[in-house]
Amino acid sequence: MKRFKFIFSVLLVSIILVACGSSTDEEGSANENSNLDSTEQKEESNTVNIEKTELNMALSVDPDGLDPHRTTAASTFQITSNIFDTLVTVTPDGEIDENLAESWGISDDGLSITFELREGVVFHNGREMTADDVKYSFERLKDEESPRSGDYANIAEINVIDHKTIEFVTDSLNVELLSNFAYPWAAIVPEEAAEDLRNHPIGTGPFKFEEWVPQQQLVLTKHTEHYDPASLETVNFKMMPDVTSQVSALQAGELDIIAVNGDLVGQFEGNPDYTILENRSNSIQLMAINTEHEALADQRVRQAINLAVDKQALIDTVWWGYGEEIGSHYPTMLKEYIDTNSVLSYNTDQAKALLEEAGYRDGLELDMYLPASYPAYVDAGQIIANELDAIGIKVNIEIVEWATWLSDVYTDRQYDLTVVGHTGRLDPYDLLARYHSENGENYFNYSHQRVDEILTLVQEEQDDAKRLDLYQELQQILAEDVPALYIQSPITLTVTASDVAGYTSYPIDIYQMKDVYFTNK
Amino acid sequence: MLSFIVKRLISGLTVLFFISIITFFVLRWMPGDPATLSLGTEGTPEKIAELQEVMGLNLPWYQQYYHWLQDLFSGDWGSSYVFGEDVMTLIIQRLPVTLLLAAVSMVIVIPFAFIIGIMSALFKERWVDYIARSLMQLGDAIPQFWLALIFLVFFASKLGWFPVAGYVGFDNGILASIHSVLLPAIVLAIGQVGPLIRIIRSSMLSSLEQDYMLMTQVNGLPKTLAIVKYALRGASIAPLTIIGMQLANMLAGAILVENIFALPGIGRLLLMTVEQRDLILLQGMLIFVTSAVVLVNILTDICYRLANPMIRFGGNHE
Amino acid sequence: MMEKLLQLEKVSIDDGLGRALIKNASLTIFQGEFIGIVGESGSGKTLTVKSALDLLPDHLVITSGVRQLLGKELNGLSSKDKRRLIGAGIGFVPQNTVVFLHPMIKIKHQMIDAYLYHIDNDKKQALKKASDLLEKVGIKEPKRVLNAYPKQLSGGMQQRVNIAMALMTDPKLIVADEPTTALDTVVQRQVMELFNQLNQSEGVSILFISHDLKIVKQFCQRMYVMYQGEIVESGETHEIFTNPKHSYTQKLLSLIPTLTNLSMDKFG
Amino acid sequence: MSKLRQHKLFSLGLFLVLVVISLCIVSFFYLPQDPNVMNTINRFQSPSKEFLLGTDQFGRDILSRIMISSRYALFIGLVSVFLGAVVGIVIGALAATANGWLETILMRFIDGLMAFPGILLAMMLVAVLGKGLWNAVIAIAIFMIPVFSRLTYSLVLDQKNQLYVKAARSYGASKSRIIFKHILPMILPRLITQFSASIGSAILIESSLSFLGLGVQPPNASWGLMLSESRQYMLTYAYLAVPPGIILMITVLGFNLIGDAWNDSIVSRRMAE
């Protein structure tokens, strides 16, 4: 049966691909702490409520197990980031910060990195953590059962220098090496508990695993010996797939934190009992175009499709305006982002003209596949289909289960159009690599010579400014060539009871519950 | 009696055999074989072939079926892709919620249906009957998922009489536990009450029309005695026959209701299993659920026999 | 003048849709009489008797006529009083032996209910009486029969139980609706002997409905002949048999041998 | 009295069904608005002269969508029950007249089908067959088979023991003659009753499937789908869930009432005999 677990975790590799946008789904709340609707004053004036230390938060899906080395599901890392620590961590602003490692140094050739570990860190089972645990953890992350092994194949040697010092030696230069130690899957685990991390995780993190009843709840309790102890004693994650239930439960005081859709914000607006947090997210949503389709191979047809869609109206309708229009495959919050919205802006006449020019005066028929588990994508797809109909492209919609979508659309690329989302990472290369004509995840079947060149160059380029230029050039090409209709970079909405403070979001998909506390209001 | 039980068990086993065949083939015919599905975006033809071999998917169907049955009987029901847990463990974990839901719902339905059904039969064509039959008709016609949504918004969310979602375990007290499933149980009950009232009413009516009721009249027995002792006795058995069906209906209702009320029961697990194509778990659950229905049918048949001297001693002459 | 136990005068019954089922039937039974009603299936024999015992199905309507039972006018009584009057004063032995006994209640409970209610609320006493009566109707193991369900008994046994049950309240009149149908000839004879004995030695009046003219001829003192809902002839049995006036009666009498063989029909 | 009431119920049922049927027929000739055209500026409108029942989350006219949906509901209801009934009756009659192993196999197979909680069987079948109108029809038809075969089976068995059949058999009438000439006419009224009542439940299953996303696919309209789409707006625009729910209830109620009234009249006719 072990084999099955492995297989399934491999399946979930793909889940990282479509992460947000679902009405009932919190993956993809990889956010920057740029609360548009800020709550800072409140946090200043209120003091920590030491009586109230139990927090209830809604999750719409169960985690895919709790072993961070054996899954790629965002739903797992949202929880395991509280149970396990990593060597370094990422701040809400996207900076790398110390965690289990207090300091680090990179060799001059850029090929090896040495970490000095924090003293006195103990696992939840009471044993002290040493450099050997770090070595074991990375070996486990690299072994064949790990879905991330490819990402860490570059690490050639792991050398324990003393019990608090460890060195990683890599094969080739990777300019974003350090970020690889900040992801929640680079968690440090104790060897003795490795067998059953999936159901009984043991780490060094600020919270201990208490109980998990699938589809019901998952309970964490405070790890008192953590170097930066949490304020909360208990965190209950309640599994509630239905938004209506979540909202009602928050209103009934059964929950303290939920994620909501734009239409529900109105329920809480102007109510002093709740705080609404709006966060830009490190993710984008798009309609992918299969460029191998006879008509869609023609750039003019793709451009016509882009011109036919009123993106802002689409965002207003499906996401209630909570999203930032994009013109290329890049989230607005990342520093490499350039605004490409004006490259092709909504113009149906121009769209019709282009279509005619391409030889499709009498129209065109395309098949669109939409993933059933993501209502927002289903809605967006219907609206786009409606708009394409107006320029003479007839779209047949088929709504498919996620599993079917993965196999038929994503893997076999048997589709013309599909609406989906992509989550970002800390390293822009990871986000864009799929546009390389040879890349296995290039489900657009996209092939562009200059794009391939850029994607090769950018890996070796050590000069930050030049790299930035390359990334921006790439964004520009995608905006003009339209391998996908880029829709928006979503803004996630979180509503908390107003006595909840310290809840922030991160550019990678994690929740840090240790900073959350209740105030005396 | 013993021979009847043996016969009934054999026929039950035959039913289970057909169920296993249906389940097996339906799941084999599902698009995307388990190996391809499991590998997702990582699937290459080689990897898939390798995995198919490991999973035994390249064997002829009868061998696959045989192996599957073998595992089933040896208690190895496999483990879920999604939860990584043993199928049996998962089912047993979920069962109490659904059982409690079904039990509470039954506790509401049975007395209500009996009272309404009997009154409706006794006061046939009078206002009690009209009300009862209207209730019955409405109960049959209201889509349960719609009712669940409306109840959720109105009673739980707006009025706050019930928890909005989720199940409270027994360790928080049995009353809290019941309270947490009460609203969904009422929704289920409304869906169940129609058929039950109908059968109680009609069996009561037919009992009232039996000649033995004439006998009580000729013997001058008071009406209440005649109804309680004679008519009711005659009418009490027929409802037993639909218990198996009611159970199946209730499980079907639970799929929708548990999902809307976020109750971690069998129904919710089932829908998730279908949605996520957790084939091993789905297989296990289908076998479990249908076996439960078959078993309940067998038990009610046996009880029916025991409770009904008409059949128990029947057949020796005509 | 002997006491009139039952009297119908010009009773007409309608099926609720305006079709007359019984037209102007008049019938009288005095104490100690053994009376027969004959007629073919559907002639209205059972219906006439049921109307006298207030047992008509709801959808049938008595359109006219007077019904007197044990000296009381039925129409003037409340339904409760009617039940009491009939229950205590009249025993009814039905035609269809299977359904008249409740299939799910033990014989003893069915037998003693009327006694407990009308005579004496003493269960022991009632059981003893039930046991005695069963013995009297020729059942050798009354204990076993009392504890049995109807299905465990043969048809003949069930009919004896019915008779014993009819006797539980010491009625003055027993109405027997084709009590020997579906019984083999030996049992048939025993049952008829029993009725005869009750009539002779205990003075119980018997109203006997049958299409079996031979039996009627043998046991009944007086008889009524029904045809298509009407009583076409009545009088002393031997007189009718020797000198039938109505053409239907004449035809009926000429068919005696064949009629007795046709005992399969289930409608009265 | 009883006749009158039956008549009234029947008329009510007929009236409700006729409302739905006329909605359906009218939809072929006239729709207030194009049911599929989105107009996001007009979304979530309350009922008005232009949109009699208001508009949905895409600004589509709810009344037009309800009218269009009635086509699917009636089509799926009638066709699936018809298919299920034909197959079910054949299996049931076959089982009741065949003896020995065939009877056992057929009825155990039917029992097996019946052990699947209704919607689950349909869900599984849709998963196998794929989504789409005809697949939903087939799934629901298969779901309907056990009801009809069990009913036919028991009715035929019941009739087999009736005197007239025994008599016919003793005269040497052939098996098929007994079934078609003697038994079928006797049980047909009960089967027709079941047919009418089943249409109601077939429509309910269709809507449940669509509610779960397994039936009629967007952008097409179906009552179940409309309810499913309204689900995420239950707190903000609860009104969206009202019209499709009510029309669904009316339809099911209508067919059930007709079936029941029919059934009652059969029963009372038999009693009168």
Side-chain angles (χ1 to χ4, degrees):
Chain A
M1 243 47 259
K2 203 157 189 186
R3 182 95 190 156
F4 282 101
K5 291 177 196 170
F6 160 61
I7 289 155
F8 191 68
S9 59
V10 175
L11 165 72
L12 282 159
V13 171
S14 42
I15 284 189
I16 197 82
L17 174 83
V18 177
C20 47
S22 149
S23 68
T24 58
D25 147 332
E26 277 131 311
E27 296 169 325
S29 50
N31 301 335
E32 191 189 18
N33 184 24
S34 59
N35 296 356
L36 306 177
D37 183 31
S38 181
T39 56
E40 281 135 59
Q41 321 94 312
K42 222 170 246 165
E43 286 169 28
E44 294 285 315
S45 60
N46 289 315
T47 51
V48 178
N49 182 339
I50 46 168
E51 309 271 293
K52 193 174 175 186
T53 54
E54 182 169 345
L55 180 112
N56 295 302
M57 178 168 179
L59 292 182
S60 45
V61 284
D62 272 290
D64 168 40
L66 296 166
D67 184 341
H69 296 161
R70 294 291 179 263
T71 183
T72 58
S75 55
T76 296
F77 302 126
Q78 287 166 352
I79 290 168
T80 57
S81 56
N82 296 292
I83 301 172
F84 299 97
D85 282 323
T86 45
L87 290 178
V88 292
T89 188
V90 63
T91 65
D93 301 321
E95 301 297 326
I96 301 293
D97 201 358
E98 60 183 68
N99 196 5
L100 289 180
E102 281 182 317
S103 63
W104 54 88
I106 298 174
S107 66
D108 293 340
D109 59 5
L111 290 177
S112 63
I113 182 165
T114 309
F115 294 96
E116 293 293 334
L117 302 179
R118 193 179 293 277
E119 288 287 343
V121 173
V122 290
F123 286 111
H124 301 152
N125 61 12
R127 186 173 67 75
E128 189 178 354
M129 183 213 64
T130 68
D132 290 320
D133 294 306
V134 177
K135 181 171 193 228
Y136 170 77
S137 297
F138 278 87
E139 279 166 353
R140 190 167 181 268
L141 183 57
K142 276 163 62 65
D143 75 20
E144 62 164 8
E145 278 188 52
S146 163
R148 295 280 183 209
S149 56
D151 296 6
Y152 293 86
N154 194 27
I155 295 174
E157 280 176 48
I158 303 172
N159 302 315
V160 175
I161 294 169
D162 61 48
H163 84 290
K164 288 293 164 195
T165 313
I166 190 161
E167 180 196 41
F168 292 83
V169 182
T170 61
D171 276 337
S172 58
L173 186 68
N174 176 356
V175 288
E176 299 280 351
L177 181 63
L178 191 57
S179 67
N180 283 332
F181 296 92
Y183 289 118
W185 46 85
I188 308 305
V189 305
E191 184 168 4
E192 65 270 22
E195 270 303 301
D196 196 21
L197 284 181
R198 186 180 206 294
N199 291 310
H200 295 98
I202 290 179
T204 60
F207 289 96
K208 285 193 266 195
F209 170 78
E210 187 71 33
E211 175 196 41
W212 176 25
V213 185
Q215 293 192 324
Q216 192 172 353
Q217 67 170 357
L218 194 149
V219 182
L220 301 181
T221 53
K222 183 179 174 177
H223 174 42
T224 46
E225 287 146 284
H226 193 259
Y227 74 90
D228 180 16
S231 319
L232 296 170
E233 290 291 338
T234 312
V235 179
N236 301 314
F237 293 101
K238 307 258 187 183
M239 312 304 165
M240 292 190 189
D242 190 64
V243 222
T244 307
S245 313
Q246 290 190 12
V247 169
S248 306
L250 179 68
Q251 286 168 338
E254 293 167 31
L255 289 174
D256 300 303
I257 302 178
I258 63 168
V260 295
N261 295 339
D263 62 317
L264 290 166
V265 172
Q267 300 273 305
F268 302 99
E269 252 162 3
N271 187 333
D273 293 338
Y274 305 101
T275 308
I276 301 167
L277 304 170
E278 295 180 15
N279 296 103
R280 298 159 83 193
S281 66
N282 184 3
S283 64
I284 61 161
Q285 288 153 354
L286 50 78
M287 179 180 75
I289 298 173
N290 188 346
T291 59
E292 247 175 29
H293 182 274
E294 191 198 343
L296 297 174
D298 190 326
Q299 191 199 53
R300 288 169 300 189
V301 176
R302 300 199 302 269
Q303 285 178 339
I305 289 174
N306 198 330
L307 289 165
V309 177
D310 183 349
K311 290 184 196 171
Q312 195 52 53
L314 183 63
I315 296 166
D316 286 346
T317 307
V318 178
W319 291 276
W320 299 78
Y322 290 96
E324 292 170 287
E325 192 180 336
I326 52 171
S328 186
H329 195 107
Y330 223 79
T332 54
M333 68 175 289
L334 297 184
K335 59 181 184 291
E336 295 86 357
Y337 173 80
I338 51 164
D339 188 342
T340 50
N341 282 317
S342 53
V343 175
L344 295 166
S345 49
Y346 180 54
N347 185 334
T348 47
D349 294 334
Q350 205 185 334
K352 278 182 205 155
L354 273 174
L355 208 57
E356 205 174 314
E357 201 184 309
Y360 296 98
R361 170 198 283 267
D362 301 328
L364 175 62
E365 207 169 317
L366 296 172
D367 295 328
M368 180 191 279
Y369 295 86
L370 301 170
S373 12
Y374 297 90
Y377 302 157
V378 173
D379 284 356
Q382 290 185 60
I383 294 176
I384 293 170
N386 210 260
E387 289 187 289
L388 293 184
D389 194 52
I391 63 161
I393 299 178
K394 185 177 172 352
V395 179
N396 305 312
I397 292 177
E398 190 173 336
I399 295 174
V400 294
E401 291 307 316
W402 185 230
T404 316
W405 189 92
L406 282 176
S407 64
D408 295 2
V409 177
Y410 191 72
T411 310
D412 296 344
R413 301 176 189 175
Q414 299 297 317
Y415 76 103
D416 300 335
L417 304 170
T418 186
V419 179
V420 82
H422 292 264
T423 41
R425 299 261 206 105
L426 296 169
D427 177 359
Y429 177 78
D430 291 333
L431 185 67
L432 294 164
R434 68 171 73 248
Y435 286 97
H436 194 286
S437 54
E438 307 275 296
N439 190 292
E441 295 187 331
N442 180 355
Y443 67 107
F444 316 98
N445 285 317
Y446 186 60
S447 174
H448 189 286
Q449 204 186 341
R450 178 60 188 159
V451 169
D452 287 359
E453 262 172 47
I454 293 174
L455 286 170
T456 316
L457 285 172
V458 83
Q459 282 179 283
E460 302 285 321
E461 185 57 65
Q462 288 214 54
D463 184 308
D464 285 351
K466 283 185 185 160
R467 222 168 48 234
L468 183 66
D469 284 346
L470 287 172
Y471 281 131
Q472 293 184 339
E473 185 189 345
L474 182 48
Q475 289 179 53
Q476 193 68 33
I477 295 171
L478 294 180
E480 285 162 13
D481 208 28
V482 203
L485 168 74
Y486 303 102
I487 303 169
Q488 66 152 356
S489 185
I491 290 170
T492 60
L493 294 162
T494 309
V495 180
T496 70
S498 57
D499 61 347
V500 174
Y503 181 80
T504 46
S505 41
Y506 292 79
I508 50 175
D509 217 344
I510 56 173
Y511 301 137
Q512 284 292 14
M513 305 311 294
K514 78 170 195 294
D515 300 328
V516 179
Y517 58 96
F518 287 99
T519 57
N520 293 304
K521 49 162 216 165
Chain B
M1 195 61 205
L2 195 68
S3 80
F4 169 76
I5 293 176
V6 171
K7 249 196 239 160
R8 193 63 191 80
L9 282 176
I10 289 172
S11 94
L13 280 178
T14 328
V15 174
L16 285 177
F17 168 74
F18 278 110
I19 286 171
S20 74
I21 293 256
I22 296 168
T23 309
F24 180 79
F25 279 103
V26 162
L27 295 184
R28 284 304 169 282
W29 285 332
M30 279 204 173
D33 75 293
T36 316
L37 220 56
S38 308
L39 288 170
T41 56
E42 300 286 295
T44 62
E46 300 81 49
K47 275 194 198 169
I48 291 173
E50 189 188 322
L51 186 62
Q52 279 177 337
E53 203 174 313
V54 173
M55 294 169 87
L57 293 171
N58 50 352
L59 295 172
W61 67 267
Y62 53 87
Q63 280 190 33
Q64 289 189 39
Y65 177 71
Y66 175 72
H67 288 307
W68 179 63
L69 268 195
Q70 234 177 3
D71 288 347
L72 218 55
F73 278 112
S74 64
D76 175 12
W77 288 40
S79 64
S80 147
Y81 299 143
V82 177
F83 298 108
E85 285 258 25
D86 201 50
V87 168
M88 265 303 189
T89 317
L90 278 168
I91 293 176
I92 289 165
Q93 196 177 46
R94 298 318 178 81
L95 203 55
V97 182
T98 305
L99 285 183
L100 182 69
L101 180 65
V104 173
S105 171
M106 277 293 180
V107 166
I108 299 168
V109 162
I110 290 175
F112 187 77
F114 263 94
I115 291 170
I116 298 285
I118 290 167
M119 296 299 273
S120 161
L122 290 180
F123 299 98
K124 195 183 166 198
E125 310 301 341
R126 308 259 280 281
W127 63 268
V128 185
D129 190 28
Y130 298 154
I131 291 178
R133 293 168 76 175
S134 310
L135 284 178
M136 191 163 85
Q137 291 290 357
L138 282 179
D140 281 359
I142 292 181
Q144 272 190 27
F145 55 91
W146 187 56
L147 198 65
L149 281 178
I150 287 175
F151 274 24
L152 179 73
V153 169
F154 193 70
F155 292 112
S157 182
K158 294 265 191 293
L159 295 177
W161 290 354
F162 300 93
V164 179
Y167 166 72
V168 178
F170 282 120
D171 36 336
N172 295 301
I174 182 89
L175 281 179
S177 217
I178 289 174
H179 186 231
S180 73
V181 300
L182 193 54
L183 193 57
I186 292 172
V187 173
L188 271 188
I190 291 174
Q192 298 292 304
V193 82
L196 204 57
I197 291 184
R198 203 180 292 264
I199 197 159
I200 290 169
R201 180 179 181 272
S202 71
S203 58
M204 191 67 188
L205 278 179
S206 97
S207 185
L208 285 172
E209 277 160 11
Q210 292 297 316
D211 289 336
Y212 55 71
M213 290 309 288
L214 279 186
M215 233 25 218
T216 64
Q217 208 177 327
V218 175
N219 284 337
L221 298 184
K223 235 178 174 155
T224 38
L225 181 72
I227 286 164
V228 172
K229 187 162 177 181
Y230 288 79
L232 203 54
R233 182 88 57 104
S236 61
I237 296 263
L240 262 184
T241 55
I242 64 162
I243 283 186
M245 205 183 80
Q246 295 275 93
L247 180 77
N249 281 342
M250 204 166 256
L251 282 168
I255 294 176
L256 292 159
V257 168
E258 284 182 6
N259 273 284
I260 291 168
F261 287 95
L263 292 176
I266 296 282
R268 178 130 170 251
L269 193 62
L270 265 172
L271 183 64
M272 186 230 74
T273 308
V274 171
E275 277 174 355
Q276 304 217 16
R277 293 275 167 82
D278 191 337
L279 294 185
I280 303 281
L281 181 55
L282 178 57
Q283 227 166 37
M285 295 202 67
L286 286 176
I287 293 291
F288 178 83
V289 165
T290 47
S291 309
V293 173
V294 170
L295 199 70
V296 167
N297 276 330
I298 294 177
L299 284 178
T300 49
D301 269 15
I302 291 172
C303 291
Y304 182 71
R305 288 248 150 179
L306 286 177
N308 192 346
M310 204 153 72
I311 296 181
R312 200 176 349 148
F313 303 112
N316 31 4
H317 59 84
E318 267 213 20
Chain C
M1 185 94 191
M2 264 189 288
E3 193 188 341
K4 261 190 221 166
L5 295 182
L6 185 153
Q7 183 172 24
L8 295 182
E9 246 186 80
K10 304 210 164 179
V11 169
S12 295
I13 300 173
D14 186 295
D15 69 354
L17 300 170
R19 252 185 306 162
L21 298 175
I22 302 293
K23 285 160 264 175
N24 288 325
S26 296
L27 187 91
T28 314
I29 299 169
F30 293 95
Q31 197 174 357
E33 280 193 306
F34 198 135
I35 290 188
I37 303 182
V38 295
E40 63 195 12
S41 301
S43 61
K45 302 173 297 219
T46 304
L47 223 48
T48 308
V49 172
K50 278 191 172 172
S51 78
L53 299 182
D54 209 40
L55 292 179
L56 289 179
D58 288 341
H59 62 279
L60 300 186
V61 189
I62 296 175
T63 48
S64 65
V66 178
R67 296 173 296 159
Q68 271 188 5
L69 211 55
L70 305 173
K72 288 190 174 131
E73 170 62 44
L74 276 186
N75 287 345
L77 295 178
S78 71
S79 86
K80 203 175 163 188
D81 290 342
K82 271 192 270 190
R83 276 174 167 259
R84 207 165 238 292
L85 180 72
I86 297 166
I90 294 176
F92 182 71
V93 178
Q95 166 194 43
N96 190 325
T97 55
V98 182
V99 196
F100 276 82
L101 287 172
H102 198 296
M104 286 154 61
I105 298 177
K106 284 188 178 170
I107 300 288
K108 60 177 173 192
H109 296 301
Q110 302 199 47
M111 280 190 74
I112 64 176
D113 269 346
Y115 180 90
L116 294 179
Y117 184 67
H118 295 294
I119 316 246
D120 182 9
N121 197 9
D122 180 343
K123 208 169 167 184
K124 234 177 169 175
Q125 205 51 47
L127 279 174
K128 191 176 176 310
K129 175 145 194 176
S131 176
D132 290 348
L133 282 173
L134 284 178
E135 242 171 304
K136 191 166 168 185
V137 299
I139 286 173
K140 288 180 192 94
E141 304 166 279
K143 286 267 144 25
R144 184 183 76 83
V145 170
L146 282 175
N147 282 308
Y149 288 98
K151 267 275 173 178
Q152 289 168 288
L153 304 177
S154 69
M157 293 279 258
Q158 288 186 33
Q159 193 58 309
R160 285 173 213 228
V161 169
N162 274 321
I163 296 168
M165 201 161 143
L167 294 172
M168 280 297 286
T169 51
D170 298 321
K172 290 181 178 163
L173 169 64
I174 286 181
V175 177
D177 185 3
E178 306 209 25
T180 56
T181 312
L183 296 180
D184 64 53
T185 43
V186 181
V187 184
Q188 206 173 51
R189 182 131 299 275
Q190 288 172 348
V191 169
M192 286 318 296
E193 288 298 344
L194 190 65
F195 279 122
N196 200 34
Q197 187 209 336
L198 285 171
N199 179 253
Q200 298 297 318
S201 58
E202 313 203 4
V204 177
S205 301
I206 293 180
L207 177 56
F208 179 74
I209 302 169
S210 181
H211 52 235
D212 192 333
L213 286 168
K214 275 203 293 193
I215 297 180
V216 171
K217 186 180 179 189
Q218 186 179 356
F219 294 99
C220 299
Q221 296 138 14
R222 254 180 344 113
M223 67 182 280
Y224 292 83
V225 180
M226 286 198 77
Y227 178 61
Q228 292 185 343
E230 283 182 87
I231 292 178
V232 292
E233 196 157 357
S234 64
E236 299 285 314
T237 308
H238 65 267
E239 211 162 288
I240 290 177
F241 269 80
T242 48
N243 187 15
K245 290 194 182 86
H246 196 270
S247 60
Y248 173 71
T249 319
Q250 292 162 358
K251 215 167 96 198
L252 204 62
L253 294 180
S254 69
L255 288 173
I256 287 178
T258 32
L259 254 171
T260 40
N261 292 338
L262 263 181
S263 54
M264 281 291 283
D265 56 328
K266 61 188 191 118
F267 304 103
Chain D
M1 179 64 191
S2 158
K3 278 269 140 52
L4 188 68
R5 210 186 100 76
Q6 267 167 33
H7 182 69
K8 268 187 190 163
L9 277 185
F10 185 81
S11 313
L12 178 63
L14 197 64
F15 172 75
L16 296 177
V17 169
L18 281 178
V19 165
V20 179
I21 288 176
S22 46
L23 273 185
C24 173
I25 291 171
V26 169
S27 80
F28 284 98
F29 304 102
Y30 169 76
L31 286 166
Q33 306 280 338
D34 186 326
N36 286 330
V37 158
M38 300 179 184
N39 184 350
T40 51
I41 297 158
N42 279 337
R43 69 207 192 115
F44 299 120
Q45 297 250 320
S46 315
S48 65
K49 229 184 211 161
E50 198 184 355
F51 305 103
L52 280 177
L53 292 177
T55 60
D56 70 0
Q57 72 276 19
F58 295 131
R60 295 174 298 197
D61 180 41
I62 291 177
L63 178 61
S64 305
R65 288 179 72 71
I66 279 184
M67 287 170 71
I68 276 280
S69 306
S70 63
R71 296 184 194 172
Y72 290 107
L74 292 176
F75 177 81
I76 293 179
L78 286 168
V79 176
S80 62
V81 175
F82 180 77
L83 293 178
V86 168
V87 177
I89 290 170
V90 169
I91 293 180
L94 208 59
T97 46
N99 288 320
W101 61 270
L102 185 61
E103 177 185 5
T104 311
I105 286 184
L106 287 174
M107 288 325 284
R108 292 303 86 79
F109 178 73
I110 293 297
D111 287 349
L113 275 184
M114 212 142 183
F116 286 91
I119 192 89
L120 185 65
L121 184 66
M123 275 163 68
M124 269 172 58
L125 290 167
V126 170
V128 173
L129 301 165
K131 292 169 189 168
L133 191 64
W134 277 104
N135 291 340
V137 168
I138 293 169
I140 298 171
I142 292 176
F143 170 75
M144 287 295 162
I145 291 174
V147 183
F148 281 95
S149 40
R150 290 258 282 229
L151 181 65
T152 311
Y153 179 73
S154 67
L155 287 175
V156 171
L157 276 193
D158 194 37
Q159 296 294 324
K160 254 171 89 177
N161 292 327
Q162 296 287 329
L163 284 173
Y164 74 95
V165 175
K166 282 183 174 166
R169 207 182 301 148
S170 67
Y171 300 147
S174 74
K175 219 174 217 179
S176 59
R177 193 186 153 77
I178 291 177
I179 291 189
F180 287 107
K181 283 277 172 188
H182 296 268
I183 296 180
L184 203 60
M186 285 298 283
I187 66 172
L188 204 58
R190 286 283 290 117
L191 291 174
I192 291 174
T193 305
Q194 183 62 47
F195 188 87
S196 171
S198 294
I199 292 176
S201 60
I203 290 175
L204 263 187
I205 293 176
E206 184 274 321
S207 69
S208 304
L209 281 180
S210 296
F211 182 77
L212 294 174
L214 301 170
V216 173
Q217 295 298 301
N220 295 319
S222 141
W223 300 329
L225 188 62
M226 291 173 79
L227 282 173
S228 153
E229 287 174 343
S230 78
R231 189 175 168 187
Q232 48 175 319
Y233 306 106
M234 276 315 273
L235 288 172
T236 40
Y237 301 96
Y239 168 74
L240 286 182
V242 177
I246 287 183
I247 188 83
L248 181 54
M249 203 169 83
I250 284 178
T251 314
V252 177
L253 190 62
F255 281 108
N256 287 353
L257 282 179
I258 291 179
D260 275 15
W262 238 327
N263 197 26
D264 287 356
S265 77
I266 290 170
V267 170
S268 63
R269 202 181 312 152
R270 192 156 296 164
M271 263 168 51
E273 280 163 12

